Amino acid sequence: MGAENNIWKRSDSALVVVDYTSLDELKKYREAIRNVGINVNNCSLLAVVPTKKERLIMNQQSLAVFISEKDINLLGQLKNPEAQNILKQKFSLLIMIGDKPKRLSKVLMQLNVDTSIGLNCTINEQDVNLKTEVATPSHLINFAKQTLEKII
């Protein structure tokens, strides 16, 4: 019974939030997501960039939706239509890799998700907070999967 009732098996959609470093790394995240059995059509990749200007440049890429802390006004409202569309959806899993800017973390913690997972985060607002030394996309996603398969 336990193996079929773990968090990973119950998850059918995911939002993975990463810091943008390169297009190659985003491709590796997409591949890692595909390799662990999450349907990429039910998974969104949200890449955090430092500035709104960089986000506007990166929006031409279809690998991910890009967001900047500068997209959030003083009242905590998101002014990024692409990110708004993603963040309106319901996800089984929110996988946040690394710490995010405070205003952005606040917005992410208000999402409609069943389980939130933090990987290598120092804030403890997630349901599950995991630490690992290896930071490659495939290791991080596999580590989350393996750990969630053990949690009922």
Side-chain angles (χ1 to χ4, degrees), residues 87-105:
L87 300 180
K88 285 180 190 173
Q89 299 174 30
K90 178 172 182 3
F91 294 98
S92 299
L93 291 175
L94 166 63
I95 302 173
M96 191 167 11
I97 299 173
D99 288 325
K100 302 297 168 250
K102 190 173 183 175
R103 282 196 285 177
L104 182 56
S105 290

Side-chain angles (χ1 to χ4, degrees), residues 27-113:
K27 288 176 187 173
K28 289 176 184 174
Y29 273 110
R30 302 244 350 136
E31 184 178 318
I33 290 163
R34 199 174 296 117
N35 289 341
V36 295
I38 296 177
N39 181 345
V40 288
N41 296 322
N42 293 337
C43 182
S44 295
L45 194 56
L46 190 64
V48 180
V49 293
T51 66
K52 187 175 179 180
K53 181 179 179 183
E54 191 172 349
R55 175 187 60 84
L56 292 172
I57 292 168
M58 295 308 301
N59 272 349
Q60 309 306 313
Q61 304 299 322
S62 62
L63 290 171
V65 171
F66 294 86
I67 190 169
S68 166
E69 182 182 25
K70 308 287 188 231
D71 292 329
I72 303 166
N73 69 19
L74 292 174
L75 301 174
Q77 297 168 325
L78 184 60
K79 301 292 182 186
N80 173 336
E82 295 86 7
Q84 282 177 338
N85 288 338
I86 293 292
L87 300 180
K88 285 180 190 173
Q89 299 174 30
K90 178 172 182 3
F91 294 98
S92 299
L93 291 175
L94 166 63
I95 302 173
M96 191 167 11
I97 299 173
D99 288 325
K100 302 297 168 250
K102 190 173 183 175
R103 282 196 285 177
L104 182 56
S105 290
K106 236 178 172 175
V107 168
L108 293 171
M109 290 293 91
Q110 296 171 3
L111 295 179
N112 187 6
V113 297

